[in-house]
Amino acid sequence: MSVIYQRVALIGLGLIAGSMAHAMRRGGLAGEIVGTARSSGTRAVAEEIGLCDRVVATAAEAVEGADLVVLAVPVGAMGRVAEEIGPHLAPGATVTDVGSVKKDVVDQVGPHLPEGVHFIPGHPLAGTEHSGPRSGFAALFENRYTLLTPVEGSTPEAVARLRALWEGMGALVEEMEAEHHDLVLAVTSHTPHLIAYTMVGVADHLRRVTESEVIKYSAAGFRDFTRIAASDPTMWRDVFLTNKEATLDILGRFTEELFVLQRAIRMGDGDALFDYFTRTRAIRRGIIEAGQDTDAPDFGRVKTRKEEGEG
Ligand code: NAP
């Protein structure tokens, strides 16, 4: 593959930026990768493992001369970073991000970007419960969707170029409106994470009653919840604070459904439960048929892919 951007600036050097660095290197997609992170500790690790061609101390420095700038920090920090880099961006550069919420990022970042810069927010639907500069890996985005939500003013050429980068990293790319993205993700990712956090919280309370049994006998369902509930607290705090309306909407619907099932259990309505579970099983089949998961037996918890969660 050939070089798509001459200089890529990664702002934030965690799981997603690190995976992008590995994937861009593997595909020869970037002439030079310059990275920066807030803490000197993260920057030192990035230097030590050779994550980027150059690690610099500030975001302002990182974006100098870059034709692609990737904001890979928690959603709540995007506005402040954009304010810092705004005056230092090269004319004609593309600014993108990888945040799990899109409308709020558009509102936070947009006002700080000068004329002549293309702003194309994005979100790779791939992740793990791990974070930090050592957690990235080149295959993270393979066969997973990346959603782009271009704002008015970004040219089709700039969008096509960013699309080519993601495709070069193995991703499937689609475009959609930022608000629609936030609603879809509230259903597929944000609310499920909240439910996992809640279920693990319930078990934690129960553990005080049943001592270690919750851990000792934890079955697949609960173990899957604990993995999701181990996701980065800062990232997920920001997701719920910035995708408030869509998450509350879906959570309301979830609560109504839960009451329907609760009533079916109370009334001994086996037909209702059976029909419900039959419908949900079909959704799982659809995901497997779409190539977004495998139906390999997983009882031994042996993972063939490292990625599991996603923001
Ligand atoms: P991560 O591994 O925790 O890395 C976050 C990076 O952001 C670190 O380099 C951190 O710097 C920096 N950072 C944290 N707070 C900051 C602040 N207030 N100001 C400036 N920099 C700050 O996170 P990640 O998983 O790569 O997530 C990055 C973005 O991708 C988030 O917006 C998240 O919503 C999105 N995303 C995540 C996933 C997922 O599953 N993890 C999936 C898709 C999208 P230090 O290390 O120096 O603290």
Side-chain angles (χ1 to χ4, degrees), residues 12-17 37-39 42 72-75 77-78 80-81 98-100 123-124 126-128 130-133 135 232 234-235 239 309-311:
L13 292 172
L15 170 72
I16 301 296
R38 170 181 62 167
S39 68
T42 296
V73 298
V75 172
M78 296 279 182
R80 249 170 297 131
V81 172
V98 293
S100 307
H123 178 202
T128 74
H130 301 294
S131 47
S135 60
D232 187 67
T234 306
M235 168 184 158
V239 166
E310 61 203 35

Side-chain angles (χ1 to χ4, degrees), residues 223-291:
R223 270 187 309 208
D224 286 345
F225 276 138
T226 60
R227 182 183 51 70
I228 295 170
S231 301
D232 187 67
T234 306
M235 168 184 158
W236 284 97
R237 176 201 63 194
D238 286 3
V239 166
F240 294 117
L241 292 180
T242 57
N243 198 18
K244 184 172 165 178
E245 261 131 61
T247 312
L248 289 178
D249 176 14
I250 301 307
L251 212 48
R253 291 163 192 261
F254 173 80
T255 315
E256 287 167 19
E257 294 286 302
L258 202 57
F259 279 134
V260 168
L261 291 180
Q262 188 175 322
R263 184 175 166 76
I265 293 169
R266 190 183 307 285
M267 305 305 280
D269 189 347
D271 288 348
L273 293 172
F274 187 85
D275 289 349
Y276 201 99
F277 301 155
T278 303
R279 283 206 308 278
T280 55
R281 195 177 216 192
I283 293 178
R284 170 73 186 160
R285 269 201 302 273
I287 290 171
I288 292 164
E289 276 160 26

Side-chain angles (χ1 to χ4, degrees), residues 33-76:
I33 302 172
V34 184
T36 191
R38 170 181 62 167
S39 68
S40 55
T42 296
R43 295 197 299 271
V45 172
E47 292 255 27
E48 181 198 323
I49 63 175
L51 195 59
C52 309
D53 299 309
R54 265 192 306 132
V55 176
V56 297
T58 66
E61 221 178 311
V63 306
E64 293 286 354
D67 47 0
L68 178 68
V69 175
V70 183
L71 309 181
V73 298
V75 172

